[in-house]
Amino acid sequence: RLAGKIAARPLSTLGYLAFVSPDLHKFSADHWVPDESAEECAAADCAVRFSVVNRRHHCRRCGQVYCGSHLSRQAQLLISDRSLDSDGLPTKVCEACFSELDRAAATAAGADAPAPAEASLSVTV
């Protein structure tokens, strides 16, 4: 499983933004939930309502809108199909997408298929 490869890495530091910002705009936003449709965090156990202080954050894979606390995972995704790949861009993903990617990688590794084992999944502490 890729769980052993989970590392603490800040998601919102200037260094991270500088690292990914040249290509981050290439992720299509056409699958994102529109900002005006999201009044609160999509996490089931969260009641944070969005405001000037509590900003909206989109999962780059599924497009759902979360508060900053619930979008702390990171995965290397291909721009073309938002799949996990070692050549992908490190970008923020929600817990559900992170878990799905981790399960898919574990299944692929268990089947002796070429798994994206070098792809990175991480969490911000």
Side-chain angles (χ1 to χ4, degrees):
R1 288 179 50 113
L2 291 179
K5 295 191 178 284
I6 294 174
R9 186 165 41 184
L11 197 56
S12 60
T13 63
L14 290 177
Y16 172 81
L17 292 175
F19 173 71
V20 299
S21 62
D23 291 320
L24 190 59
H25 70 279
K26 293 180 182 177
F27 277 98
S28 173
D30 54 354
H31 70 287
W32 288 8
V33 171
D35 283 350
E36 56 276 1
S37 297
E39 295 181 10
E40 60 186 37
C41 180
D45 61 342
C46 185
V48 169
R49 295 188 62 78
F50 298 121
S51 66
V52 175
V53 176
N54 293 313
R55 295 184 52 227
R56 292 169 175 85
H57 300 273
H58 287 85
C59 172
R60 297 299 192 265
R61 186 164 183 263
C62 70
Q64 290 294 317
V65 183
Y66 295 89
C67 67
S69 297
H70 287 104
L71 204 63
S72 61
R73 299 289 189 149
Q74 189 180 86
Q76 286 180 252
L77 301 180
L78 290 178
I79 293 171
S80 58
D81 62 359
R82 299 183 304 275
S83 64
L84 185 66
D85 192 278
S86 60
D87 291 329
L89 289 174
T91 190
K92 55 189 177 179
V93 294
C94 66
E95 184 67 37
C97 286
F98 182 88
S99 295
E100 187 178 318
L101 291 165
D102 191 36
R103 278 192 309 272
T107 300
D112 292 327
E118 296 301 314
S120 172
L121 293 175
S122 65
V123 62
T124 302
V125 180

